[in-house]
Amino acid sequence: MPPGAVRALCLGAALAVLAALPWWMANPYYVNIASQILFWAVFALALNVLVGYAGLTSLGHAGLFGMAGYTAGLMLAAGAGHAAAIVAALLATLATTAIFALLALRATGIGFLMITLALGQILWGIAYRWASLTNGDNGVKLADRPAPLGLHLSSPDAFYLATFAVFLLCLASMRLFVRSPFGASVRGTRDQPRRMRTLGYNVWLVRFLAFLFSGFWTGVAGLLFVYYNQFISPQVVALQTSAEVLLMVISGGVGTLFGPVAGAAIVVVMKNVASAYVERWNMVLGIIFVLIIVFMPEGLVPGAARLVRRGYRGLRAGSGPAAAEAAASPGTAGR
Amino acid sequence: MTIRRRTVLKGMLASTAMVAAPAVLRAQGAPFKIGLLTVKTGPLAQGGIQMEQGIQTLLKEKGSTLAGRKVELIVADTGGNPAGAKTKAQELVERDSVNVILGPLAAFELLAITDYVREHTTPLISLAAAEDVTQRHANPWVVRPSATSGQCSHAMGDYAAKDMGLKRMATISEDFAFGHEQVAAFQRTFEDAGGKVVRKLWPPLVTPDYTPFIAQIGDVDGVFTGFAGSNPVKFMRAYADLGLKGSIPLTGGWTAMDDALLKSLGDEAVGVVSAHFYSPTIDTPSNARFVEAMAKDYQVVPGGYSAGMYIAGQCVEGALEKAGDKAGDKEAFMEALRTVQLTDTPRGPVAFDEYGNIVGNVYIRKCERKDGALVNTIIKTYPDVSQFWTYDPAEFLKNPVYSRDFPPAKNLE
């Protein structure tokens, strides 16, 4: 079998196992944890568009995440239906993203980071201080989860399946984005902005569109978050959330398709599952990050792929380096 | 042969155990599971650790047996944020199947899980102060054995006007819901008793230096503070450093002068008057046991968080006694819990009102130095204070919840 087919088969099997999770995972608590991993993964994938492919590190994405959650929560509290609330939330998030992009894309590198940080803090300030609108730190509650296609999402299983469907869509759109000419031009603006400009690309516009794409999926993740928790408060919008998601992206593997997913899984599992057994789970999480940085500076997924590849090459040393190289090359296809 | 003899012996042992086992089981039943939602990491961890110490002290005292039932405690660290509180509540309810949850610590954590415990019909005993959880959005599955934000400061406002004879006061508190609610309650009773709140200051939650705020206090004859966490320590130090300590008396809510803070305070705290639902000096048998055990096991003077959890444990015991055989049924246990009445707790006699909030004494205390150590000496007891103070509950609930803007401050200068 060609290596590409093996890869596809493995991926298909993994997705099938994940899709069937509610049936083999006996306890609803773990189904809920899995839902959390998935929507944090969507958030991390969204941030990865900017951090990984466009080379723009944002520390303001929690603001966009919260924007979607707050808009939906406040619309529902005002009596709107779920469909209206979701559409309004996504539109509001896109509009906010556009404003973020207009202001932040005046710079790159540290400048970009600082501007997005400041903008995120402004949104946090609004959520925290404009108490007559946002109810301040007492937060906004959602009475109910929606029922798309007649399937009410109140049970952990139903919510998981819906989140999984959204996650697949997100993953597919990311793959499409990465392989598209647009994705290539985004990577071009990351690596050689000046050359891209000479080639006739509007670098600013390419970055702007990438920002919007990132903002859209951040909004989707924010919606999943707020429907999952049925509660949103300013903590979600705070810098810590932005930093945490950035950590997911970096630890998992910047600019890879599955890196952010792995990063989200590590953080969610450590925070929620391991903390029940280890009192100093913060420290364990820190040690894991240090280990990742030391041994796999490119991130968990590409790092693990490299180690596997090296082991594979060692095994196949007798059959010639060319064959090993050919077998190994699909491992980088995700980049 | 030897093997066979051993087998026989084992069989005899096993059968003896089997005969004996049902008696033991009958006496104890399956353990009653208590889940504790607390904060052990992050900036709120101090209060969270005190909460755990409080419930551990009670369980140790009772040999982990409440009302004849074995009790198992499962501790979960929420990390001090709403999403963490929700996940940990799910862990306790869905994975560990606890019979009752104690906690969480912060108001925003409580608000994040009130609907969840209602859906999953799990009794919750919380110390967090969010007013509306036992007021406009009262939840049949929640009781609060500590106090609403306003419960103690209602008494402080009354005392400041009537007993201390203060006329013009300034308030200063962190700019978040707990601070807003405390100050609003203080202002209401103080102004009802003839005083005037002429200035309200709201420093942010994280304020490195209170000097610029203290400079704005101006011409008043008293100050009310609603600080929480470690902020009171910083504030009182700055207040004394600026020389206001002797000239403008300081009053506070329960978190502003909690006894657990005294070890971090010095002479700047002497003379501060505060209202609290608890004091280590309260003379009840259970408080004597509690204070002694806390000193022995943790070398601390207990404050509101640990006492609140000790009392929460006593409420569980009372409800278990009341519910008897039906305690495993959540509905029956919750009903018993809501009607629990205890005469001997560290804070004195307590009962719950129909909204699930505690009715109990509020103590006015003055900080003094006795034998070298700081002590909050009780100078007045307001007996059986409800969350509605002396107002009619129906009238009270028609008003909006206490906030920065309600009740409106009409006497600001």
Side-chain angles (χ1 to χ4, degrees), chain A residues 30 129 141 228 272 275, chain B residues 87-88 90 95 108 114 175:
Chain A
Y30 293 106
R129 290 296 301 272
K141 282 188 193 187
Y228 173 81
N272 298 309
S275 62
Chain B
T87 307
K88 288 296 166 180
Q90 287 172 333
R95 196 183 66 173
F108 45 76
T114 48
D175 195 3

Side-chain angles (χ1 to χ4, degrees), chain B residues 16-48:
Chain B
T16 327
M18 269 165 73
V19 173
V24 176
L25 282 179
R26 230 177 288 132
Q28 297 186 332
F32 187 83
K33 286 191 184 174
I34 300 179
L36 174 67
L37 281 180
T38 184
V39 186
K40 294 165 85 166
T41 47
L44 297 175
Q46 269 220 323

Side-chain angles (χ1 to χ4, degrees), chain B residues 367-400:
Chain B
C367 188
E368 292 173 343
R369 195 174 274 286
K370 272 189 189 157
D371 305 327
L374 293 175
V375 184
N376 280 316
T377 310
I378 297 172
I379 47 178
K380 180 167 181 172
T381 302
Y382 285 88
D384 299 330
V385 176
S386 115
Q387 59 178 331
F388 303 112
W389 186 234
T390 55
Y391 305 108
D392 175 49
E395 287 296 314
F396 189 100
L397 292 177
K398 269 185 211 156
N399 289 320

Side-chain angles (χ1 to χ4, degrees), chain A residues 276-293:
Chain A
Y277 306 99
V278 193
E279 193 163 318
R280 302 198 181 280
W281 58 271
N282 271 330
M283 210 170 83
V284 178
L285 190 58
I287 291 172
I288 290 180
F289 286 140
V290 170
L291 290 179
I292 289 177
I293 296 298

Side-chain angles (χ1 to χ4, degrees), chain B residues 282-401:
Chain B
I282 293 168
D283 184 21
T284 66
S286 61
N287 195 35
R289 288 197 302 271
F290 171 60
V291 172
E292 197 195 324
M294 287 290 286
K296 192 167 146 253
D297 292 346
Y298 305 110
Q299 293 80 46
V300 293
V301 176
Y305 290 113
S306 44
M309 269 299 136
Y310 185 93
I311 296 162
Q314 288 182 308
C315 292
V316 172
E317 184 182 29
L320 279 173
E321 255 162 34
K322 220 166 178 172
D325 293 340
K326 287 186 289 180
D329 175 39
K330 284 174 168 178
E331 303 262 350
F333 178 79
M334 192 66 213
E335 203 186 310
L337 184 61
R338 292 182 74 91
T339 51
V340 133
Q341 287 194 339
L342 303 171
T343 46
D344 175 22
T345 77
R347 64 179 287 184
V350 296
F352 293 105
D353 65 15
E354 58 176 302
Y355 304 91
N357 194 64
I358 200 141
V359 179
N361 296 348
V362 170
Y363 304 91
I364 306 293
R365 306 108 36 95
K366 187 167 196 164
C367 188
E368 292 173 343
R369 195 174 274 286
K370 272 189 189 157
D371 305 327
L374 293 175
V375 184
N376 280 316
T377 310
I378 297 172
I379 47 178
K380 180 167 181 172
T381 302
Y382 285 88
D384 299 330
V385 176
S386 115
Q387 59 178 331
F388 303 112
W389 186 234
T390 55
Y391 305 108
D392 175 49
E395 287 296 314
F396 189 100
L397 292 177
K398 269 185 211 156
N399 289 320
V401 67

